[in-house]
Amino acid sequence: MSDTTDTVENRSEIVFLYDAEDTNPNGNPLSANDKPRIDESTGKAVVTDVRLKRYLRDQLDDDGHEIYIKNPSKADYEGAIDRDDLFKAVTGLEEDDIEDYTGAEAADAFLNNAVDVRYFGATASFSSEFQSALGDGFPGQFIGPVQFSHARSLNTVVQKSESKQLSTVVSSGGDSEQGTFATDNRLQYALVPFHGIVNEVGAESTGLTEADVSRLDTLLWRALKNQTLTRSKMGHHPQLYLRVEYSTDEYHIGRLDDGLAMSQDTPDTELRNITDVVLDVSRLSEELDRSTEHIDTVHVKANPHLKVQTKDDTGGPDQLVTALEGAVGEGAVERIDVYDTGE
């Protein structure tokens, strides 16, 4: 467990909305040329929770936190290392040290250091010798208390394909050149809502703290800003983050993202950016209004360019906050400064 004692007590439900403009939100490596994932029945873009968690882990790594599942391109060791060495790299413990620990103490050391495991869990399988040193009290699996569903875009999407010369290699012999061509697959525009849960019951098994949950309030936003700088991922923009923190034990509304809808004059096939879209949050506000007695705080951040429609009016982020305050009360809405990490 974490060495802090403030394991999170309240369940939270998260809605995180971002858009993808002329980019590939989540390529399918099993398809030709890493095509974007698209639901064949609905024509909507699909983004997996694994893709989102990779952004979050990379941002945690950049923020200086130790993580267990590192991005190979960012790892500070050469070549692939096995799980035994990953454990030692994360905890700073050598095998001789581990033999002095009980399995439960080794698990505490692991969770104290591997912040991504406290959030998302992990399967911890090691060599038989290393597992023997850890002892029987070390769990083989940690179930993460923070989970996200796969996301499907609010709009049907248009895929653009273009063949491009990606590189040119000059031969060692002199003037002759060799070119490399590949097909570049991108989506014209997709507005993607993720839905997540912070489960306070599951938090007990990994020691997820209140500070960890507060970190999520800035982490998702900054991760989309900072971890989408490669050529294929340029064009992502966070638009809305909402964490509804409940006061009633083991309670959450469920699928709050279903309360979001697009309202636009432009057909889906002609959408280009966020200025073509109005986000209808009327049903979301109604859901929150019906559950006011169970809600402690609504933490919110919206992009200044986002236009929202409520049952009363249409406007920017202030209109959204007004609608939320009307639903749950003025004192229960907290605006987030995503750059105030407190760390």
Side-chain angles (χ1 to χ4, degrees):
M1 301 285 179
S2 168
D3 55 4
T4 60
T5 57
D6 62 339
T7 302
V8 64
E9 295 181 354
N10 293 341
R11 182 165 301 185
S12 289
E13 192 167 5
I14 294 172
V15 175
F16 180 50
L17 179 76
Y18 67 83
D19 65 354
E21 181 181 336
D22 293 323
T23 189
N24 186 348
N26 191 187
N28 183 353
L30 300 180
S31 67
N33 300 306
D34 204 34
K35 287 184 177 179
R37 297 171 191 261
I38 299 176
D39 187 315
E40 294 181 356
S41 299
T42 64
K44 296 184 175 183
V46 177
V47 184
T48 68
D49 64 314
V50 175
R51 176 64 270 181
L52 183 66
K53 290 174 181 175
R54 183 69 270 166
Y55 289 143
L56 298 176
R57 285 189 167 99
D58 287 349
Q59 187 60 48
L60 286 167
D61 197 11
D62 284 359
D63 287 347
H65 298 282
E66 197 62 70
I67 61 172
Y68 180 55
I69 303 177
K70 285 183 175 287
N71 189 330
S73 66
K74 292 187 172 187
D76 53 0
Y77 37 76
E78 294 184 3
I81 64 174
D82 60 26
R83 291 179 180 271
D84 299 1
D85 289 333
L86 273 175
F87 181 93
K88 289 184 281 189
V90 169
T91 61
L93 298 174
E94 295 298 330
E95 198 156 345
D96 290 343
D97 301 325
I98 293 169
E99 290 178 347
D100 296 330
Y101 283 60
T102 66
E105 289 171 338
D108 285 350
F110 184 49
L111 292 169
N112 280 336
N113 288 282
V115 63
D116 61 327
V117 181
R118 292 207 301 273
Y119 284 119
F120 311 126
T123 299
S125 59
F126 304 103
S127 68
S128 56
E129 293 81 6
F130 197 75
Q131 185 64 56
S132 178
L134 287 169
D136 294 337
F138 190 91
Q141 185 174 24
F142 298 93
I143 297 175
V146 178
Q147 295 296 338
F148 293 93
S149 305
H150 285 205
R152 283 177 169 74
S153 62
L154 296 179
N155 58 304
T156 56
V157 295
V158 176
Q159 180 176 308
K160 301 288 188 181
S161 297
E162 183 179 0
S163 292
K164 290 188 175 181
Q165 187 172 13
L166 297 181
S167 64
T168 299
V169 179
V170 179
S171 73
S172 58
D175 296 330
S176 61
E177 295 184 349
Q178 297 177 338
T180 300
F181 287 85
T183 299
D184 190 18
N185 294 300
R186 295 168 185 259
L187 298 184
Q188 180 173 284
Y189 186 76
L191 190 59
V192 181
F194 264 100
H195 173 254
I197 294 289
V198 180
N199 188 303
E200 79 286 2
V201 179
E204 295 177 5
S205 64
T206 68
L208 187 79
T209 68
E210 296 286 354
D212 291 333
V213 176
S214 294
R215 186 181 301 115
L216 277 177
D217 292 344
T218 76
L219 189 69
L220 280 134
W221 198 276
R222 290 185 298 112
L224 255 292
K225 287 274 193 179
N226 299 334
Q227 306 302 327
T228 56
L229 299 180
T230 61
R231 183 175 178 276
S232 66
K233 290 292 181 283
M234 280 291 291
H236 287 76
H237 307 279
Q239 299 295 340
L240 172 65
Y241 174 87
L242 202 72
R243 178 166 67 87
V244 179
E245 183 179 356
Y246 296 99
S247 56
T248 302
D249 290 345
E250 302 183 4
Y251 180 90
H252 68 275
I253 296 171
R255 295 303 317 206
L256 276 178
D257 55 320
D258 288 344
L260 302 179
M262 279 178 48
S263 172
Q264 83 262 20
D265 297 327
T266 306
D268 280 8
T269 54
E270 297 178 16
L271 294 175
R272 290 293 190 278
N273 57 52
I274 195 64
T275 62
D276 294 330
V277 173
V278 176
L279 185 69
D280 188 337
V281 297
S282 303
R283 287 176 51 205
L284 173 66
S285 297
E286 291 169 2
E287 289 277 9
L288 296 177
D289 190 24
R290 283 195 288 268
S291 298
T292 298
E293 64 185 288
H294 302 293
I295 294 173
D296 182 278
T297 307
V298 177
H299 309 263
V300 61
K301 167 69 178 177
N303 190 318
H305 296 150
L306 180 66
K307 186 181 293 183
V308 299
Q309 178 181 326
T310 66
K311 62 182 180 181
D312 298 320
D313 206 352
T314 300
D318 288 344
Q319 180 65 29
L320 171 66
V321 171
T322 299
L324 294 174
E325 290 176 341
V328 301
E330 186 173 346
V333 178
E334 177 184 276
R335 294 187 192 232
I336 299 167
D337 179 354
V338 294
Y339 297 103
D340 181 12
T341 63
E343 297 178 325

